[in-house]
Amino acid sequence: MRINRLAAATALVSVLTLTATACGGGSTSGGGDNSAPKTLTYWASNQGTSLENDKQVLEPELRKFEAQTGIKVKLEVVPWSDLLNRILAATASGQGPDVLNIGNTWSASLQATGALLPFDDATFGKIGGKDRFVPSTIASAGAAGQAPAAVPLYSMAYGLYYNKKLFDAAGISTPPATWDELVADGQKLTKDGKYGLAIEGGNVSENVHHAFAFGKQHGADWFDAAGKPAFDTPEAVAAIKQYVDFIAKDKIAAPGNAEYAANQSVTDFASGKAAMLMWQAAGASLKSHGMNPDDYAVAPIPLPAGASGSKATSSMVAGINLAVFKNSKNTDGALQFVKFMTGKEEQIQLNKTYGSIPPVKDAQADSAFATPELKTLSNVLATSAAPLPQVANESQFETLVGTAVKNLLAAAAAGKPVTEESVKAELTKAQQQMPAG
């Protein structure tokens, strides 16, 4: 999931104090009830090239559901820039959809509002069972020890995309497996106005996704056992400095990357201005920019030499979850819809269209996901991806740490020294801004 939630996260602080009785949603008229649900409302997130493209993709599938069940689904595709604010307003007012998409990193934060239907064993039984899903995707659906607040719909993981022609021209025969190798390769590739690596330094969400994975590799957990923020530990400082040093010290990413916030790094990679890119399921975007799939390959993001256990984390668990408002008047119909959308046929159809990975195991076996890119990313998702912290204040963590990294990258791009002390200062400031509790 990618989204700029700078304003939305602030609103979430007050919403987290609400109880389930203040939440709700569902159809307000003409929707029937649990004995005969006739209409459902569905807020879908923008996954395609435009809101209209999403409607073209989803509406035929919704008509299939109506033909099977007699339940009509009213669709609204909500831009990412609006989605979290819309959800927060719905939880506060009690007026919302029956079913909605949420970025999977919001799961624990929205779970804490009490607004979402818990997927306990009985509820999972109504949609075909919990065991159908890849375990790492379920881990990104709510706080540990609690029933998940949603189920995974589209999954993604980060991989290292590399330009095979540029690698060959530089005499590099294999993708880097360690960070030392990536920096060395990146320096060989940085010449003639081209850079070894493209990063999206002005994008808060991209920053925090990498901060999390780099942090895991250094042994940083970001929150302590009591759930209190631990942003400025030596491990976290080392992780962030390593990332910022791609511009500050290693100089394998262009200074201008510090301002990128609208997928310009993808464009630079597709056009050959950069030889490497760390991204989620980029194939469809690269194709839309005219890059031939034969010109690049995908490998797992590098690890520290000798890393094992949690330090061998190469990606956060990325993706979109499907949730039901707890007070929906059409809960039974909503769960029928969730079962439909997470069924094998729909999982293949929708994830194939969007270039994502099905979180449903048997759908992954389809030949559509046997491309080298998706096979690599599916393996990352299954073996070396971890969910972002599943705590109630997770959304604020994303905003504050992502912004701290953005500030440090901007300083590096301006030629200012980036030291352990300056990194620690930014992370301490972010930690101090976290809400209590």
Side-chain angles (χ1 to χ4, degrees):
M1 176 198 67
R2 296 187 184 87
I3 176 174
N4 186 340
R5 59 177 67 80
L6 286 169
T10 303
L12 188 54
V13 178
S14 59
V15 176
L16 289 174
T17 63
L18 298 177
T19 63
T21 58
C23 305
S27 303
T28 57
S29 64
D33 56 28
N34 281 334
S35 63
K38 300 299 183 183
T39 302
L40 296 172
T41 54
Y42 175 40
W43 286 356
S45 56
N46 178 205
Q47 299 299 312
T49 57
S50 66
L51 302 184
E52 187 59 36
N53 172 250
D54 280 305
K55 292 176 184 177
Q56 292 170 358
V57 170
L58 292 172
E59 284 175 346
E61 308 311 307
L62 303 185
R63 287 194 290 271
K64 287 183 191 176
F65 175 73
E66 183 178 3
Q68 292 177 18
T69 64
I71 301 172
K72 181 177 178 61
V73 180
K74 295 181 179 179
L75 171 69
E76 182 179 357
V77 182
V78 184
W80 277 111
S81 56
D82 298 337
L83 184 58
L84 185 55
N85 279 329
R86 291 281 301 277
I87 295 170
L88 297 180
T91 61
S93 69
Q95 299 299 315
D98 298 289
V99 185
L100 70 158
N101 287 176
I102 64 173
N104 66 353
T105 64
W106 301 339
S107 295
S109 295
L110 293 175
Q111 181 181 47
T113 71
L116 303 182
L117 180 73
F119 278 80
D120 55 19
D121 289 344
T123 305
F124 265 116
K126 294 179 180 179
I127 66 164
K130 185 177 183 178
D131 292 342
R132 297 190 299 123
F133 298 91
V134 175
S136 65
T137 66
I138 292 292
S140 69
Q146 298 183 39
V151 296
L153 180 64
Y154 313 124
S155 292
M156 288 166 274
Y158 278 87
L160 179 71
Y161 289 74
Y162 61 98
N163 186 310
K164 293 192 290 186
K165 290 182 178 179
L166 293 178
F167 266 54
D168 288 344
I172 304 170
S173 59
T174 58
T178 69
W179 290 114
D180 288 343
E181 292 174 358
L182 181 138
V183 171
D185 289 347
Q187 290 171 342
K188 289 181 183 178
L189 292 156
T190 300
K191 58 183 179 180
D192 302 328
K194 298 178 180 179
Y195 281 83
L197 178 69
I199 62 174
E200 197 83 4
N203 185 309
V204 170
S205 293
E206 283 295 308
N207 287 341
V208 82
H209 293 169
H210 294 303
F212 169 76
F214 280 47
K216 294 292 283 185
Q217 294 182 7
H218 283 269
D221 286 326
W222 300 104
F223 291 85
D224 65 20
K228 294 182 179 179
F231 298 169
D232 58 358
T233 64
E235 295 82 5
V237 169
I240 300 306
K241 188 173 187 303
Q242 179 191 349
Y243 186 67
V244 175
D245 273 347
F246 291 148
I247 289 177
K249 176 185 174 184
D250 306 321
K251 302 188 185 304
I252 60 173
N257 285 188
E259 299 180 1
Y260 282 6
N263 298 351
Q264 295 100 316
S265 55
V266 177
T267 304
D268 280 2
F269 179 77
S271 65
K273 292 181 180 179
M276 291 182 283
L277 172 72
M278 297 183 292
W279 208 257
Q280 307 173 29
S285 293
L286 296 174
K287 183 178 181 180
S288 71
H289 285 92
M291 192 174 194
N292 189 320
D294 293 334
D295 290 341
Y296 67 86
V298 188
I301 285 177
L303 300 171
S308 61
S310 63
K311 291 187 176 182
T313 298
S314 67
S315 174
M316 50 85 75
V317 176
I320 308 301
N321 287 350
L322 195 61
V324 174
F325 263 91
K326 188 175 184 179
N327 289 356
S328 167
K329 296 179 181 179
N330 299 330
T331 304
D332 289 350
L335 290 175
Q336 288 185 60
F337 182 62
V338 172
K339 183 176 182 179
F340 171 80
M341 292 290 280
T342 61
K344 179 179 178 181
E345 180 180 339
E346 284 306 303
Q347 282 286 289
I348 292 171
Q349 176 65 29
L350 293 173
N351 283 280
K352 179 173 65 175
T353 299
Y354 288 132
S356 48
I357 304 165
V360 173
K361 297 174 188 176
D362 60 355
Q364 282 192 12
D366 189 83
S367 60
F369 309 104
T371 65
E373 176 195 17
L374 293 181
K375 286 175 68 175
T376 295
L377 298 180
S378 294
N379 186 59
V380 168
L381 186 66
T383 64
S384 63
L388 266 70
Q390 294 293 303
V391 297
N393 289 334
E394 191 279 334
S395 187
Q396 291 88 341
F397 154 71
E398 290 195 45
T399 298
L400 293 170
V401 171
T403 300
V405 176
K406 177 182 175 180
N407 293 341
L408 289 162
L409 287 167
K416 298 177 182 178
V418 176
T419 64
E420 290 182 359
E421 290 75 18
S422 64
V423 173
K424 181 177 174 66
E426 277 289 342
L427 292 175
T428 299
K429 182 171 69 174
Q431 181 169 303
Q432 291 171 341
Q433 294 177 62
M434 282 289 288

